[in-house]
Amino acid sequence: MKRSTGARLCAIAAVSALSLAFVTGCSSDSDEKSTDAKDSKGSASASAAASDVKALTSAELEKLLLAKGDVKGYTFDSGDDTLPKSKSAVKTDKAACDPLAWATAGLAPGDTDANASNSLTEDKTSSATASPDAADIEDAFDVSLTFVGLSSYDGDGAEKAMKTVSDGVTACASGYGLKADGEDSKVTKVASEKGTGGGDEAIAFAETVDMDGEGTATFHAEAIRTGNTIATFYTVSFAALAKGGEMDVNPAAVVTAQVAKLK
């Protein structure tokens, strides 16, 4: 990770199921047939609606990425020089961990070719003094870079992609090996955590990474689904990277602004 790399369960479901069984047991045969017919039509209609959903194109996703003026205090870059250009450049030693590695590299965590990414950096130059001292210079380099990836899916592909991320957090709890753009890294631990959230579904997780024997650093990532589009976020703090330790969490202002553009 020297460069870029990096569900809700409802108790009401049990109550609802119990209520449904009670109502069904008390209904007549004709009621059952009527209800079954309505449920069948409703399910068929919902399935048809889901299957009709088409993914946005990469060009359309590019227009939805955060840009200058969307978030105060940040500069923007296409990310072409820092992010892997394709999934083939990001490999793990556990297939279940692939979605996590892709999400932290600004790539689509699921099966789609519709993908766009950029990066945002805190702009501290505007607050720098005319004659900076050593402390000012050190502070100027204490910035964070946030990688943002957008991906879009046909049908229920986005929901399936989010499930692979959720499953990956569990399956890869003890870590995984990673090679990105020819550079090897070792993720020693993966754990779910609370992120900024938003959208229709959100999954946040932290990855602890072995820094070439110089201790470890913990990075934070988040995937948020809005309809059939998923936004991923991954932040690297240069100061923390140099010293090892805890990275900054993904800036709430950035996450919130990006999710808002997808609605």
Side-chain angles (χ1 to χ4, degrees):
M1 253 182 221
K2 302 180 185 70
R3 292 172 63 191
S4 61
T5 319
R8 179 182 172 192
L9 294 177
C10 300
I12 294 176
V15 178
S16 298
L18 186 60
S19 298
L20 178 60
F22 177 76
V23 172
T24 301
C26 294
S27 63
S28 66
D29 289 343
S30 60
D31 287 340
E32 289 180 4
K33 292 178 181 179
S34 175
T35 300
D36 289 345
K38 289 179 181 179
D39 288 346
S40 178
K41 289 180 181 179
S43 297
S45 176
S47 298
S51 63
D52 287 341
V53 175
K54 297 299 180 183
L56 298 175
T57 65
S58 294
E60 289 172 323
L61 290 174
E62 288 280 0
K63 296 178 181 179
L64 290 174
L65 284 168
L66 290 173
K68 183 178 180 179
D70 287 336
V71 186
K72 185 178 180 181
Y74 285 85
T75 58
F76 298 80
D77 187 86
S78 66
D80 290 345
D81 295 332
T82 52
L83 293 172
K85 294 178 174 56
S86 70
K87 291 180 178 179
S88 62
V90 181
K91 302 180 182 299
T92 74
D93 59 2
K94 297 179 184 179
C97 306
D98 286 347
L100 305 185
W102 294 333
T104 58
L107 297 167
D111 186 14
T112 183
D113 292 325
N115 186 78
S117 62
N118 68 354
S119 59
L120 293 78
T121 307
E122 286 182 294
D123 182 10
K124 293 191 175 183
T125 57
S126 59
S127 60
T129 60
S131 300
D133 56 22
D136 292 324
I137 295 175
E138 182 178 355
D139 184 64
F141 282 96
D142 185 14
V143 296
S144 294
L145 177 66
T146 299
F147 298 107
V148 180
L150 298 183
S151 55
S152 191
Y153 305 77
D154 290 330
D156 62 351
E159 288 93 330
K160 290 179 178 178
M162 290 294 284
K163 186 177 186 306
T164 65
V165 175
S166 177
D167 289 347
V169 172
T170 300
C172 307
S174 60
Y176 60 93
L178 171 67
K179 176 175 286 188
D181 284 344
E183 297 181 356
D184 293 317
S185 298
K186 175 63 178 177
V187 177
T188 61
K189 179 182 178 182
V190 178
S192 61
E193 64 179 4
K194 182 177 177 59
T196 301
D200 299 314
E201 183 180 5
I203 300 170
F205 59 95
E207 295 187 328
T208 301
V209 181
D210 183 340
M211 305 302 288
D212 292 334
E214 299 294 328
T216 61
T218 300
F219 297 79
H220 304 274
E222 188 164 9
I224 300 176
R225 179 181 66 81
T226 301
N228 66 326
T229 298
I230 294 176
T232 60
F233 305 88
Y234 185 72
T235 296
V236 176
S237 167
F238 295 119
L241 189 61
K243 295 181 291 186
E246 188 85 10
M247 294 293 130
D248 293 340
V249 297
N250 296 298
V254 170
V255 175
T256 302
Q258 181 61 83
V259 172
K261 291 193 72 170
L262 302 179
K263 293 181 179 180

